[in-house]
């Protein structure tokens, strides 16, 4: 901070000469950070911006070469050819003494045409080859492919061939795919064969053509997200994993009739879709469940809920939200809480299976529904640790929480 004189004026900051660089003392705080922290900060920049940081000063001239993350942002380029030239130039300037590559991201590839897919696969293979040549082998841990259009969807089989050709499948731990195609061979082999260290897998808007158990070849998988993936060539999806801890399935297509989950260590389960699609669940260690249900017919949803809820008996926290399809307008709207309109189903509710339930949150459209005593007892009387209350919420970002207690 500049010092003041007797007249209250401030002195100009001192300038020191370091070769070609003029650094203002007290203002160049960023360059005072250790290289390891700077590399972490720079890893969030795309390669186009990262390359420009080399013009800041002499110290920063080669720092971009030591960043272990390669983030290719495709929509920052006007054409596919200009992006291709950038990738080739960027890889050629990273010399053999550059840092090992631990993360690769391709984002917003949106070019169309006959050569789009072949160009992407060629650039992807070049990047995989470059990553294999830098530093110790098998250093790539994170890979993300996020496309912006379905017209150039690469098949994971083609991408996996490049990954395996350079032995990255032996070290990969995180894989994120958007708008990709996953084709599984008729012999039962999956594109994930050999990804033995993969712990995190996220598929969004992907086209899946799968057998009954598409993720059986991932023994270390702990976190799995399936978000708006379609179409499913099989009517049954079975997710099983001895190490699986977190599972999210969001809006599976109508063609998928049943989802079965067998995961002895699963802690968190989130499902958005038709409750009729949920079949057998074997989740002995489950702590949290969040179920957002799309409703076509209330009676069918009621019957499915009666079968589903006992399978969630181990949860400590349960979130429920029910949406109804408005056919004329083609949109979703929140619906009433189920299990309250059928006297036959209410009569079938016996002793509460929830032995550890501590929190139950229900989303409602306008006001808390009037719940019969059987429903309250079904949720709340199973455990001495149960908080004797429902929490009803309506638009929590705008409306304060309402809590209604029952004893």
């Amino acid at each position: 901070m500049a010092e003041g004189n007797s007249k209250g004026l401030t002195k100009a900051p001192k300038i020191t000469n370091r070769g070609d660089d003029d650094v203002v003392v007290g203002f160049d705080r960023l360059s005072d950070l250790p290289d390891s922290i700077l590399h972490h900060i720079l890893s969030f920049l795309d390669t186009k911006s990262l390359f420009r940081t080399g013009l800041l000063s002499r110290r920063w001239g080669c720092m971009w070469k030591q960043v272990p993350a390669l983030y290719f942002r495709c929509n920052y380029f006007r054409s596919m050819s200009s992006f291709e030239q950038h990738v080739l130039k960027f890889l050629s300037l990273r010399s053999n003494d550059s840092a090992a590559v631990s993360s690769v991201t391709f984002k917003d590839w949106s070019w169309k045409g006959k050569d789009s897919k072949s160009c992407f696969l060629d650039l992807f293979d070049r990047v995989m080859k470059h990553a294999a040549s830098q530093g110790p082998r098998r250093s790539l841990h994170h890979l993300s492919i996020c496309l912006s259009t379905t017209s150039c969807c690469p098949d994971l089989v083609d991408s996996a061939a490049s990954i395996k050709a350079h032995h990255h499948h032996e070290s990969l731990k995180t894989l994120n795919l958007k708008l990709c195609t996953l084709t599984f061979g008729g012999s039962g082999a999956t594109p994930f064969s050999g990804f033995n260290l993969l712990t995190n897998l996220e598929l969004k808007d992907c086209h899946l053509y799968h057998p009954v158990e598409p993720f059986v070849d991932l023994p270390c998988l702990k976190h799995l997200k399936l978000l708006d993936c379609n179409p499913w060539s099989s009517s049954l999806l079975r997710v099983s994993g001895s190490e699986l801890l977190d599972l999210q399935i969001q809006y599976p297509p109508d063609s998928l009739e049943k989802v079965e989950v067998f995961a002895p260590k699963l802690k968190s389960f989130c499902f958005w879709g038709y409750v009729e699609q949920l079949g057998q669940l074997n989740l002995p260690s489950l702590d949290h469940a969040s179920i957002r249900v799309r409703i076509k017919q209330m009676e069918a949803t009621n019957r499915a809920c009666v079968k589903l809820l006992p399978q969630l008996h181990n949860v400590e926290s349960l979130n429920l939200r029910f949406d109804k399809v408005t056919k004329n307008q083609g949109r979703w709207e929140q619906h009433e809480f189920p299990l309250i309109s059928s006297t036959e189903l209410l009569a079938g509710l016996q002793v509460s299976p929830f032995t550890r339930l501590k929190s139950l949150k229900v989303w409602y459209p306008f006001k808390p529904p009037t719940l019969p005593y059987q429903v309250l007892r079904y949720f709340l009387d199973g455990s001495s640790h149960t908080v004797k209350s429902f929490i009803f919420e309506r638009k929590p970002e705008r409306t304060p929480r309402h809590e209604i207690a029952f004893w």
Side-chain angles (χ1 to χ4, degrees):
M1 183 175 180
E3 299 178 2
N5 55 23
S6 60
K7 296 182 180 181
L9 301 177
T10 58
K11 296 180 180 180
K14 296 180 180 180
I15 306 295
T16 60
N17 189 11
R18 297 183 182 178
D20 298 331
D21 304 323
D22 290 334
V23 182
V24 180
V25 176
F27 292 90
D28 193 16
R29 302 291 181 85
L30 189 61
S31 293
D32 291 338
L33 295 174
D35 287 351
S36 58
I37 297 180
L38 289 177
H39 294 158
H40 177 72
I41 296 175
L42 294 177
S43 65
F44 294 96
L45 296 179
D46 64 280
T47 53
K48 186 176 183 179
S49 302
L50 179 64
F51 180 73
R52 292 176 176 176
T53 61
L55 303 177
L56 295 178
S57 68
R58 178 178 298 176
R59 182 191 175 194
W60 289 68
C62 295
M63 185 171 294
W64 64 273
K65 298 181 181 181
Q66 302 303 318
V67 176
L70 304 184
Y71 177 18
F72 298 98
R73 189 72 179 265
C74 308
N75 63 345
Y76 285 0
F77 298 86
R78 295 183 178 180
S79 64
M80 184 170 59
S81 60
S82 62
F83 174 72
E84 183 179 8
Q85 293 175 4
H86 164 74
V87 174
L88 298 180
K89 181 178 180 180
F90 183 87
L91 297 181
S92 63
L93 292 177
R94 278 181 59 102
S95 57
N96 294 330
D97 59 346
S98 300
V101 178
S102 63
S103 175
V104 173
T105 299
F106 278 89
K107 189 173 183 180
D108 295 330
W109 180 281
S110 58
W111 292 294
K112 304 177 182 179
K114 298 180 180 179
D115 299 331
S116 176
K117 181 178 178 180
S118 59
C119 180
F120 174 84
L121 293 175
D122 178 65
L123 294 178
F124 181 78
D125 184 72
R126 289 176 180 269
V127 173
M128 292 294 101
K129 182 178 180 180
H130 173 79
S133 64
Q134 301 299 310
R137 296 184 62 185
R138 302 176 180 87
S139 61
L140 184 62
H141 300 314
H142 310 282
L143 175 61
S144 179
I145 303 175
C146 300
L147 309 180
S148 298
T149 178
T150 58
S151 61
C152 60
C153 290
D155 198 314
L156 183 61
V157 174
D158 299 326
S159 302
S162 178
I163 295 173
K164 293 179 179 179
H166 303 293
H167 304 282
H168 293 307
H169 65 291
E170 300 176 0
S171 61
L172 209 58
K173 296 182 179 180
T174 301
L175 179 61
N176 298 332
L177 302 176
K178 179 181 178 181
L179 284 174
C180 294
T181 301
L182 285 80
T183 303
F184 297 81
S187 61
T190 72
F192 303 114
S193 300
F195 290 69
N196 295 328
L197 296 182
L198 195 68
T199 59
N200 295 267
L201 175 61
E202 178 177 336
L203 307 178
K204 184 176 183 180
D205 296 317
C206 290
H207 298 266
L208 304 180
Y209 302 90
H210 69 92
V212 173
E213 295 187 76
F215 311 109
V216 68
D217 291 337
L218 300 175
C220 295
L221 189 63
K222 294 183 178 181
H223 307 278
L224 175 61
K225 294 182 181 181
L226 305 175
L227 311 177
D228 297 285
C229 295
N230 57 81
W232 304 72
S233 58
S234 175
S235 60
L236 172 64
L237 171 65
R238 181 178 294 121
V239 179
S240 58
S242 59
E243 301 297 325
L244 196 60
L245 300 177
D246 176 38
L247 174 61
Q248 296 185 36
I249 301 177
Q250 176 177 305
Y251 296 142
D254 297 347
S255 59
L256 187 63
E257 297 179 2
K258 289 295 180 183
V259 176
E260 298 179 351
V261 183
F262 302 90
K265 296 183 180 180
L266 193 72
K267 296 295 183 181
S268 176
F269 177 56
C270 298
F271 179 82
W272 293 11
Y274 295 109
V275 68
E276 296 87 345
Q277 294 176 308
L278 287 175
Q280 186 176 357
L281 304 178
N282 186 358
L283 310 173
S285 302
L286 191 64
D287 290 333
H288 172 75
S290 180
I291 310 296
R292 182 174 179 178
V293 178
R294 297 186 291 183
I295 299 176
K296 286 185 177 180
Q297 297 180 353
M298 180 58 72
E299 287 298 324
T301 300
N302 281 335
R303 290 191 294 269
C305 285
V306 170
K307 296 180 180 179
L308 168 66
L309 292 175
Q311 300 187 75
L312 304 176
H313 65 278
N314 281 324
V315 296
E316 293 185 351
S317 174
L318 178 61
N319 295 342
L320 298 174
R321 176 172 175 169
F322 299 86
D323 300 329
K324 182 181 179 180
V325 179
T326 302
K327 295 183 179 180
N328 296 333
Q329 300 180 5
R331 61 181 177 86
W332 302 103
E333 64 179 15
Q334 294 182 350
H335 202 270
E336 64 179 347
F337 187 72
L339 303 176
I340 66 175
S341 59
S342 175
T343 55
E344 296 180 0
L345 292 175
L346 290 176
L349 296 179
Q350 303 298 325
V351 179
S352 174
F354 297 100
T355 58
R356 299 197 305 156
L357 187 63
K358 296 180 180 179
S359 172
L360 175 64
K361 185 182 295 184
V362 180
W363 298 74
Y364 66 94
F366 300 107
K367 63 180 180 179
T370 303
L371 298 178
Y373 174 72
Q374 295 97 319
V375 177
L376 303 180
R377 185 180 62 183
Y378 182 77
F379 282 104
L380 301 179
D381 285 354
S383 172
S384 59
H385 302 288
T386 301
V387 177
K388 303 295 183 178
S389 66
F390 281 95
I391 297 177
F392 296 95
E393 287 192 354
R394 174 169 61 94
K395 297 180 180 180
E397 69 279 1
R398 297 180 181 177
T399 305
R401 176 176 298 179
H402 303 273
E403 183 170 341
I404 302 177
F406 300 89
W407 287 275

